[in-house]
Amino acid sequence: MIQNAQKFSHSILQECIKPGDCVIDATMGNGNDTIFLSTLVQNEGKVFAFDVQKAAIIRTTEKIQTLETKDNIQLICDSHANLSTYVQEPIQAAIFNLGYLPGSDKSIITTPDSTIHAIESIMQLLTVGGRIVLVCYWGHEGGDTELSQLLEFLPTLEQHEWTVLQYQFMNQQNQPPICFVIERKR
């Protein structure tokens, strides 16, 4: 069966992340991607996880308590737009789940300006073969604007340095999420 956007995003990250890598969860949310990344980089690696909402920090803190690799996770209550303040080392991969925090205030959403700024910051740190994955949930108010700006920005990336992929279901109702992958070539 064809993978949904979330499963595809994990498959594409598993291909390029190994133990000891440094990675970013740019939109921590409920901590599921943070935990997934932590198990891939293992104790030798590092996960920087960002969210602007304290609820995300609390939920993720609770979830990682029993995790064997919890010491490799740094939870940061700040916008991913400010990630360069916290991360200066080479990054192998990053993931974004764009939209709002499920089960929380739906008026607090990711925005195109902060997202594109964060992508550009990560691109400066991304190693050759490294990937940035964006799972864009766009069926909420403001989501179509973020998607539109990503669709303007991503094709402008220089093709000799970057490969950009769009993974999307075409025949599903209710604006299914769209997955974008940016891979550094050189």
Side-chain angles (χ1 to χ4, degrees), residues 101-138:
L101 174 61
S104 193
D105 184 351
K106 291 182 181 181
S107 70
I108 302 173
I109 61 172
T110 55
T111 63
D113 291 342
S114 68
T115 297
I116 291 171
H117 182 75
I119 292 167
E120 291 173 330
S121 295
I122 294 168
M123 288 171 67
Q124 293 178 14
L125 301 171
L126 201 64
T127 59
V128 173
R131 295 176 178 164
I132 302 169
V133 175
L134 305 126
V135 182
C136 185
Y137 295 88
W138 59 285

Side-chain angles (χ1 to χ4, degrees), residues 78-94:
D78 199 354
S79 170
H80 51 229
N82 300 322
L83 68 86
S84 62
T85 303
Y86 305 92
V87 184
Q88 290 85 36
E89 57 210 88
I91 296 298
Q92 182 60 29

Side-chain angles (χ1 to χ4, degrees), residues 43-100:
N43 287 318
E44 310 88 60
K46 183 77 176 170
V47 179
F48 297 93
F50 293 83
D51 209 295
V52 296
Q53 296 184 71
K54 290 187 190 284
I57 303 291
I58 292 167
R59 290 177 191 174
T60 303
T61 299
E62 290 171 358
K63 281 186 172 181
I64 66 172
Q65 288 312 305
T66 59
L67 193 63
E68 190 175 302
T69 56
K70 71 179 178 186
D71 292 336
N72 73 6
I73 300 170
Q74 183 177 343
L75 304 180
I76 302 163
C77 190
D78 199 354
S79 170
H80 51 229
N82 300 322
L83 68 86
S84 62
T85 303
Y86 305 92
V87 184
Q88 290 85 36
E89 57 210 88
I91 296 298
Q92 182 60 29
I95 187 166
F96 292 72
N97 278 292
L98 303 174
Y100 59 85

Side-chain angles (χ1 to χ4, degrees), residues 3-9 95-99 132-140 143-144 146-148 150-151 154 164-181:
Q3 296 177 328
N4 65 27
Q6 188 263 338
K7 288 182 181 176
F8 177 75
S9 71
I95 187 166
F96 292 72
N97 278 292
L98 303 174
I132 302 169
V133 175
L134 305 126
V135 182
C136 185
Y137 295 88
W138 59 285
H140 59 282
D144 56 342
E146 187 166 41
L147 175 59
S148 175
L150 284 171
L151 289 169
L154 295 173
V164 181
L165 168 78
Q166 180 176 335
Y167 182 87
Q168 172 181 14
F169 289 98
M170 303 296 289
N171 67 338
Q172 293 183 0
Q173 297 177 348
N174 302 321
Q175 297 93 11
I178 300 170
C179 187
F180 299 99
V181 181

